[in-house]
Amino acid sequence: MRRECHPLLRGGRNRESKYNHGLSSAEMESLSSLCETILPSLSPIPKFDGKQNQPTKAVQAFYRASASQTPMPDEMAELLTKRGLPEAVFMVRLVLWLLSTRLGTFLLCGSLYFGEKWPYFKNFSSIPLDKRERVLQKWFKHRFFTPIRTAFVYVKILVLYVFFSRVDEKGDNPAWEAIEYNVGTDENPDQVPKERPLQKGLIDTNQETDSTLLHSLKEKGLRVTQDPRKNVYKIKCDVVIVGSGCGGGVAAAVLAASGQKVFVLEKGNYFTATDYSGLEGPSMDQLYESGGKLATTDAEMLIMAGSAVGGGSAVNWSACIKTPNSVLQEWTRTQTIPLFGSSEYFSAMDAVCTRIGVTESCGEEGFQNQVLRKGCESLGIPVKTVPRNSSERHYCGSCGYGCLKGEKKGTDRTWLVDAVDHGAVILTGCKAERFMLEKNEGGSKRKKKCVGVTAKIVNNNIRTRLQIEAKVTISACGALLTPPLMISSGLKNQNIGRNLHLHPVLMAWGYFPESNSEFKGKVYEGGIITAVHEVLTGDSNARAIIETPALGPSSFVALCPWVSGHDMKDRMAKYARTAHLIAIIRDSGSGKVTTEGRISYKLDAMDKENLKAGLRQALRILVAAGAVEVGTHRSDGQRIKCRGIKKEDLEEFLDTVYATAGPLSPVEDWMLYTSAHQMGSCRMGINQKEGAVDENGESWEAEGLFVCDASVLPSAVGVNPMITIQSTAYCLSKKIAESLCRD
C-alpha cells in the first residue's frame, strides 16, 4: 500500500470513466496488434546473468504479460490524442487505418503480408506475430518514408510508457516486482514536513468557483472590481509575475521584500512533500509541460520542463553549479553585457546559494553515481562532487517527481515563501493569455507600454477572465513559454523565440549484475546527481559534462531502442542494475519556439562532435567501472559485451559510436535526444538587433515589460543552469525594485 498523496498524483483510472480518444474500432484493432508486437507474451522464460536459475512468479508473469491486454491499447490511444503533436496524431491514425485494410497492410508490409493459407491476403492484425515483428524491425530501419517510421516510433514510445507507468487504485504496477522497482516511500512519515508554507498567500483555483474567487482575491489584499458585462475581474497590483520557477520565484521574493504588492500567476498546481506520490506516470502528467511528452516537431528531441508551483526547481535533480568563469567572460566581452562580469552578479550567486541551502558534499552516493565515480577513478580522470540544494544526507532518487522527503529547497520552499511572507499572492491554475500593451505617450524610445496581462483560469468551474493591471509586468514562464506569450501579445523583435538552446543529451548504459557487490543499491535509489566528469579539449575547454539521470521504468523503456519484443523484456528485467550516464553539451546550434508547443531545433556539426566525444567517454567510464555489457540508445541496439574486453576491441567499438540524426532523417540508424535545460529564446542584447531585452531584462519594444527567466541568458551555459537563472533573476529584480522605489 502506497503512502497517502494528492489525488492528482495518485494515478489509477476510475473504472466508470469513458475513453475519449475517438479512435475507431478498426484503428484500435491495429493498435492492439502493434501493442502485442512491441511487448508480446513470451515463453519459455529465459535465464539472465545475476539472477537465480528459477525465475520468480513475478518474473514469469512479466514475460507472459502483453501490452495488448485490456485496457493498455485504450490508455495508449488516450495518451496519444491528449499529448501528441497534431501531425503525429494524424500520421499514427493514418498508419493504423492503413493496417486495418488489406491494401494498406500490403503497402506497409510488402511480402510479409501474404499468408500461407486461405485467405492469402490479410490485414495486419491477422498476420502471425513473428511476421508482425519483422515488419516493425524493417520500418525502424527504413530510410525512406520516414514520417511512417516516426509514427511507429511514437507508438512504441507510448505503448511502453503506458505499460510500465500505469498503476491500479493501490498505486501498483504488476511489472514492477519483476524488474525490482519500488516506488520510494519515506520509512518514517512523521519526519516528512507537513506544513504548506505558501498556503497563507495562495489561491488554489481548483477549490474556487466564480462566486468565491472574487472574495478570495480581495481577502488576500488585492484591489478587485467586477465587470459583469465582459465577464472579467479587474485586479490592480504593483507587480504581476507570470510563472513561479527559478526566475519568477526569485523576482517575487525580491520585489515583495522591497514593499511592492506582488501577484504571481502559475498555470500549474501547488504540491508539497506530503502530496507527492513518487509515481512516475501521474507525477509526470502533473509536474511537467505536456505531461513530460513534449518533443520537437521533428521528433528528434524529447524535452523535460517543469510545470507546477516552483517550476523546474520543484522537479530538477538538485545540481547547484555556479556559472563557469569562461561563460561569464564570453557574455561580458563577446556579448558586451557588463552584468555578468560585475561584482553584483558574483554576490548574487553567493546570495542564491545561501538562500537555497547549497551543500558541497554528499554523505552516501547512489548506485549510478558510485559507478561514475569508480569508472573515473579507474581511468585516472578527474571527477567532482556536485553541490546540491539539499542536506548532505539527502538520499532521494525521486526528486524528479517532487521530493518525498521535503528536503530539496526549490523556489516553492525558499523564495516564494519569502514572497508570501511579504504579502505576495500566488494564483494557481491560471494561464496568462496576452500582455496588455498601449501606445507609449511618455516620450520613451520604446513605442509601447505594458500595463498588465490578461489571463484565464484553466479550471472549468471558473469562466470569469482576469485582467491584471500593474506598474511592472514580468514574464517568467520559461524559455519555452515566454516567447509565444510575447509574440501573441503583438511584439515583433526578431530575437523573440529564436536562439533557443537546449543542452542536448545522449545517454550510454552499462549493466552491473547483482553479483557485482561493489556497487550498492538500485538505479533509482540515492541522490540523482552527486558526481560530474568534464570532458575537456586540449586547451582545457569543456566539450561535454558527464552526469547521471533519473530514469523511472517508463522513461527508461521509452528511450531504449526496440530491437524485438524479447530483447525489450530482457532489457527491462535488468532495469534495476543498468546504470545510465548522460553526456550534456553546451550547444552552439540553436532552435526556435514562437508558438506554444511547437519547438524546432538543429544541432550543428560541432555539437555532434562534442556529443560523440562525451558519449564515447561515458562508455569508457562504464567499462572501467566493471560493466559486463555497455551500449547506446541508437536504434539498432548498439552494444558490446565487455567482461575481460581488450583495449583495442573496445576502441574499435567506440569508433562506431557517434551522434546520428533522428527518426525523421533518411538514415538507417537513428537516435532520440533529450533535454532538461532550455534557455536563450528572449536573450539579452546590447541593442534590439542583438537581443529581445536589454541588460535590465526590459523588452526593447514595451516599457514596463520585463523577462526574468532562462530565456534572457545570452547563450547556453554548459552546466545545470539553476544557479545561473536564479542569480540573473536576482540581479534583474533588484534593478526593477530600485526603479520602482525611485518612481
Side-chain angles (χ1 to χ4, degrees):
M1 188 70 180
R2 303 299 173 199
R3 60 183 263 170
E4 290 297 317
C5 62
H6 194 285
L8 291 173
L9 302 177
R10 190 178 296 152
R13 187 180 182 87
N14 186 337
R15 293 181 181 179
E16 297 179 1
S17 60
K18 295 181 179 179
Y19 291 101
N20 299 310
H21 51 68
L23 271 64
S24 68
S25 58
E27 290 172 316
M28 288 305 300
E29 183 179 346
S30 299
L31 180 56
S32 295
S33 298
L34 280 173
C35 289
E36 182 187 29
T37 309
I38 291 166
L39 205 68
S41 175
L42 298 172
S43 60
I45 311 301
K47 299 176 183 177
F48 16 81
D49 192 10
K51 299 282 185 181
Q52 296 177 352
N53 291 334
Q54 292 298 319
T56 64
K57 290 182 179 180
V59 171
Q60 294 179 47
F62 169 60
Y63 273 87
R64 284 196 299 267
S66 167
S68 64
Q69 293 168 325
T70 304
M72 234 71 75
D74 278 307
E75 294 279 345
M76 183 264 156
E78 197 85 347
L79 191 58
L80 170 71
T81 54
K82 179 182 179 182
R83 298 298 190 186
L85 292 172
E87 59 267 41
V89 176
F90 170 80
M91 187 56 63
V92 169
R93 293 192 67 172
L94 175 62
V95 168
L96 294 178
W97 174 76
L98 286 171
L99 292 176
S100 71
T101 67
R102 294 181 182 182
L103 178 59
T105 303
F106 170 67
L107 291 173
L108 295 182
C109 303
S111 61
L112 294 171
Y113 156 80
F114 298 108
E116 297 176 357
K117 298 180 181 179
W118 180 264
Y120 299 111
F121 310 111
K122 303 178 179 181
N123 61 12
F124 185 75
S125 63
S126 301
I127 298 175
L129 177 61
D130 63 324
K131 287 191 174 183
R132 276 184 274 142
E133 186 170 78
R134 286 158 59 193
V135 168
L136 278 190
Q137 290 167 340
K138 180 189 78 170
W139 271 106
F140 278 177
K141 284 187 168 292
H142 214 295
R143 292 190 296 167
F144 308 103
F145 307 110
T146 53
I148 295 176
R149 174 170 75 181
T150 304
F152 283 118
V153 173
Y154 252 89
V155 172
K156 170 258 177 185
I157 290 173
L158 295 181
V159 166
L160 294 173
Y161 185 91
V162 167
F163 185 88
F164 287 97
S165 67
R166 186 177 180 274
V167 294
D168 58 24
E169 52 278 1
K170 294 182 179 180
D172 204 3
N173 179 305
W176 290 350
E177 183 180 350
I179 65 174
E180 298 182 44
Y181 178 64
N182 181 44
V183 173
T185 55
D186 200 276
E187 293 181 2
N188 187 354
D190 293 334
Q191 293 182 358
V192 177
K194 294 180 173 57
E195 72 271 10
R196 303 178 68 80
L198 302 181
Q199 200 62 48
K200 66 180 180 181
L202 186 124
I203 302 173
D204 180 358
T205 58
N206 290 317
Q207 308 298 322
E208 301 286 341
T209 63
D210 279 308
S211 58
T212 64
L213 180 60
L214 178 62
H215 173 74
S216 296
L217 290 166
K218 289 182 176 180
E219 191 178 50
K220 300 295 184 188
L222 293 164
R223 291 169 287 166
V224 189
T225 57
Q226 187 175 8
D227 186 341
R229 187 172 57 86
K230 295 183 179 180
N231 196 31
V232 168
Y233 290 150
K234 294 183 177 180
I235 304 165
K236 290 190 176 182
C237 60
D238 296 322
V239 179
V240 60
I241 301 175
V242 183
S244 64
C246 287
V250 172
V254 170
L255 287 159
S258 73
Q260 307 300 323
K261 185 63 178 179
V262 174
F263 190 28
V264 179
L265 309 183
E266 171 56 59
K267 69 182 176 66
N269 293 305
Y270 175 47
F271 301 107
T272 63
T274 54
D275 294 324
Y276 295 127
S277 65
L279 296 171
E280 185 178 15
S283 298
M284 295 282 281
D285 186 66
Q286 289 295 318
L287 302 175
Y288 289 85
E289 285 296 328
S290 299
K293 318 297 182 303
L294 185 60
T296 51
T297 51
D298 62 1
E300 185 168 310
M301 184 90 67
L302 301 177
I303 297 172
M304 307 284 285
S307 182
V309 172
S313 74
V315 293
N316 70 16
W317 301 343
S318 304
C320 296
I321 303 175
K322 290 185 176 181
T323 320
N325 285 331
S326 58
V327 175
L328 292 175
Q329 289 172 10
E330 178 188 315
W331 290 351
T332 303
R333 297 170 184 173
T334 306
Q335 308 284 355
T336 326
I337 302 175
L339 168 66
F340 295 106
S342 67
S343 59
E344 287 82 5
Y345 186 80
F346 285 89
S347 296
M349 285 197 288
D350 291 337
V352 164
C353 289
T354 298
R355 181 62 190 95
I356 64 175
V358 174
T359 56
E360 299 288 338
S361 61
C362 174
E364 180 184 4
E365 289 192 306
F367 169 67
Q368 293 192 123
N369 284 278
Q370 293 174 46
V371 168
L372 173 54
R373 193 172 296 277
K374 172 65 175 179
C376 289
E377 290 171 350
S378 297
L379 290 171
I381 56 179
V383 57
K384 299 177 182 177
T385 297
V386 176
R388 299 180 294 163
N389 58 333
S390 61
S391 72
E392 296 175 351
R393 306 179 309 278
H394 191 55
Y395 192 81
C396 173
S398 60
C399 277
Y401 314 132
C403 183
L404 294 169
K405 299 176 184 292
E407 291 183 8
K408 187 177 72 171
K409 296 181 180 178
T411 62
D412 53 318
R413 291 185 54 79
T414 53
W415 298 106
L416 289 170
V417 178
D418 297 344
V420 166
D421 286 345
H422 285 91
V425 180
I426 303 169
L427 183 67
T428 63
C430 180
K431 183 174 172 56
E433 293 184 304
R434 292 173 66 90
F435 296 121
M436 297 188 294
L437 304 179
E438 298 178 348
K439 186 177 180 181
N440 195 351
E441 306 287 357
S444 168
K445 293 181 180 179
R446 293 172 169 84
K447 295 180 180 179
K448 297 179 181 179
K449 183 176 182 178
C450 183
V451 294
V453 64
T454 61
K456 67 177 181 180
I457 306 300
V458 297
N459 173 5
N460 291 329
N461 292 333
I462 301 175
R463 301 189 180 278
T464 306
R465 280 181 145 68
L466 306 182
Q467 183 175 302
I468 302 102
E469 297 177 16
K471 301 174 191 173
V472 164
T473 303
I474 297 176
S475 185
C477 44
L480 301 181
L481 295 177
T482 281
L485 182 57
M486 295 180 78
I487 290 170
S488 67
S489 303
L491 297 178
K492 307 291 185 183
N493 183 285
Q494 62 185 355
N495 292 288
I496 300 174
R498 299 182 183 275
N499 314 303
L500 174 66
H501 295 278
L502 296 177
H503 280 180
V505 167
L506 285 178
M507 301 190 194
W509 59 267
Y511 176 52
F512 297 81
E514 290 181 4
S515 56
N516 183 338
S517 59
E518 182 177 1
F519 303 116
K520 308 293 184 185
K522 312 290 186 187
V523 67
Y524 52 86
E525 295 174 338
I528 299 170
I529 297 177
T530 58
V532 60
H533 166 67
E534 292 180 305
V535 183
L536 302 176
T537 61
D539 53 1
S540 297
N541 288 321
R543 300 193 67 178
I545 60 173
I546 296 175
E547 295 177 336
T548 56
L551 290 176
S554 50
S555 300
F556 177 103
V557 73
L559 290 170
C560 277
W562 184 89
V563 176
S564 69
H566 204 305
D567 177 74
M568 187 55 71
K569 286 198 169 180
D570 287 349
R571 282 177 181 267
M572 288 310 296
K574 299 174 181 178
Y575 161 75
R577 296 285 292 183
T578 300
H580 273 79
L581 301 182
I582 55 176
I584 308 174
I585 64 163
R586 184 184 181 217
D587 46 329
S588 51
S590 64
K592 182 173 75 169
V593 56
T594 54
T595 303
E596 187 172 337
R598 308 286 303 176
I599 304 161
S600 60
Y601 181 83
K602 289 295 179 187
L603 294 160
D604 69 10
M606 182 56 69
D607 293 336
K608 290 188 175 183
E609 284 300 307
N610 287 338
L611 278 165
K612 179 176 73 174
L615 197 55
R616 290 181 177 183
Q617 187 77 325
L619 288 162
R620 290 189 186 96
I621 291 169
L622 289 164
V623 173
V628 299
E629 186 177 24
V630 298
T632 70
H633 285 167
R634 203 170 72 186
S635 60
D636 61 345
Q638 183 182 46
R639 69 185 99 179
I640 187 171
K641 300 281 187 182
C642 48
R643 182 176 279 165
I645 192 172
K646 296 179 181 178
K647 183 177 180 180
E648 54 268 28
D649 293 334
L650 175 60
E651 290 301 319
E652 184 179 343
F653 169 74
L654 293 176
D655 286 341
T656 68
V657 173
Y658 59 96
T660 185
L664 261 179
S665 303
V667 294
E668 186 173 298
D669 299 323
W670 44 271
M671 285 177 166
L672 290 175
Y673 295 76
T674 56
S675 163
H677 309 149
Q678 304 88 38
M679 66 217 87
S681 53
C682 279
R683 71 182 182 189
M684 282 185 189
I686 56 171
N687 54 50
Q688 56 189 326
K689 290 184 179 180
E690 296 296 323
V693 299
D694 66 14
E695 189 187 6
N696 299 318
E698 189 171 17
S699 164
W700 284 109
E701 299 172 86
E703 183 180 314
L705 176 59
F706 295 80
V707 179
C708 280
D709 59 27
S711 59
V712 302
L713 300 182
S715 65
V717 185
V719 296
N720 306 69
M722 176 166 61
I723 299 299
T724 301
I725 300 166
Q726 293 198 16
S727 302
T728 302
Y730 187 87
C731 291
L732 297 182
S733 53
K734 282 281 189 183
K735 291 182 180 182
I736 296 169
E738 290 168 4
S739 174
L740 286 170
C741 289
R742 284 197 301 269
D743 295 342

